[in-house]
Amino acid sequence: MWDPPAEHPLRRLFAGLAEHAFFSHLGVADPPLIDYLSLLLSRFVHTDSVYRLRSSSGRPLTELVDMVIEAEQLPPGGRTRREYYRHIGDFALFWTGVFPEALNRARSRRCKDHLVDYTVQGKRGYLLTSRLDEEQHRDEEAGLFRRLSEQFEVCAIGLRKVREEWEELRKDTPPGSGLIR
């Protein structure tokens, strides 16, 4: 999984946009939460990160239903199960917040996810991650994932605001400037 350093330009861009969107538009001043969401956006720039989970046969899991089924088949506890549930939360939040129109298209295609509530599964994924963190004595991370579960809808709205702001940046950026277009 690509984990860009804090000084990476893309991460700094998303950090600034997220901080502004969450604080100015939603009144949310939670630096660890906002840092996590800006890192999520930076990681998910690469589709390999979006679809990083693999089935037991090694194929990429592209639908939330398959991710949940695979996670449920893993042995209880442990790092792998935690990583699956965390990714389920991230995946659901990313699509719910940044590209909700893609979920509507998926529902119309009659794929496995067409009856899945991404919000419910995302909240559940983060809640289970927080509980696994508590078992492993990572109280600070457990609290972050609990807040992501409890505030999932607010986070999705904030990510939508981030998208609106980066789309505005694109409109204002002259072609050939070397900046995001």
Side-chain angles (χ1 to χ4, degrees):
M1 172 173 64
W2 185 61
D3 196 9
E7 66 277 357
H8 190 280
L10 193 56
R11 182 138 174 221
R12 288 191 358 242
L13 170 71
F14 284 130
L17 292 173
E19 188 175 312
H20 181 261
F22 278 81
F23 187 70
S24 297
H25 296 288
L26 301 173
V28 174
D30 185 340
L33 180 81
I34 294 167
D35 287 347
Y36 184 85
L37 295 173
S38 64
L39 179 59
L40 169 69
L41 292 170
S42 301
R43 282 187 296 119
F44 275 29
V45 163
H46 294 280
T47 57
D48 291 348
S49 292
V50 176
Y51 302 110
R52 74 180 188 85
L53 296 183
R54 302 280 186 245
S55 69
S56 55
S57 66
R59 70 173 175 76
L61 300 173
T62 60
E63 294 185 56
L64 192 62
V65 168
D66 293 331
M67 293 176 196
V68 171
I69 290 169
E70 200 70 30
E72 295 296 325
Q73 294 174 359
L74 293 170
R79 185 173 150 228
T80 304
R81 189 171 232 191
R82 178 192 178 277
E83 289 173 3
Y84 267 69
Y85 285 124
R86 175 185 171 186
H87 187 78
I88 288 166
D90 289 349
F91 186 87
L93 183 57
F94 177 76
W95 290 110
T96 302
V98 182
F99 296 110
E101 68 278 5
L103 293 180
N104 293 333
R105 282 194 302 270
R107 288 187 180 107
S108 68
R109 284 194 324 253
R110 292 276 195 222
C111 64
K112 290 179 193 172
D113 282 359
H114 82 278
L115 293 176
V116 173
D117 185 330
Y118 270 55
T119 299
V120 169
Q121 289 302 319
K123 291 173 92 159
R124 179 178 179 266
Y126 285 138
L127 181 62
L128 292 172
T129 302
S130 77
R131 289 179 180 162
L132 290 168
D133 279 349
E134 287 171 344
E135 289 173 11
Q136 297 171 7
H137 309 292
R138 291 189 245 178
D139 295 330
E140 187 174 311
E141 283 189 18
L144 172 64
F145 290 111
R146 197 173 310 103
R147 289 194 312 280
L148 282 163
S149 176
E150 293 165 355
Q151 299 174 21
F152 190 92
E153 294 91 340
V154 171
C155 292
I157 292 167
L159 290 177
R160 246 175 256 131
K161 289 287 185 195
V162 170
R163 178 182 170 185
E164 289 171 14
E165 290 188 14
W166 94 51
E167 287 176 342
E168 282 299 313
L169 278 176
R170 285 185 58 198
K171 289 178 189 173
D172 298 338
T173 303
S177 68
L179 299 174
I180 293 177
R181 280 257 337 126

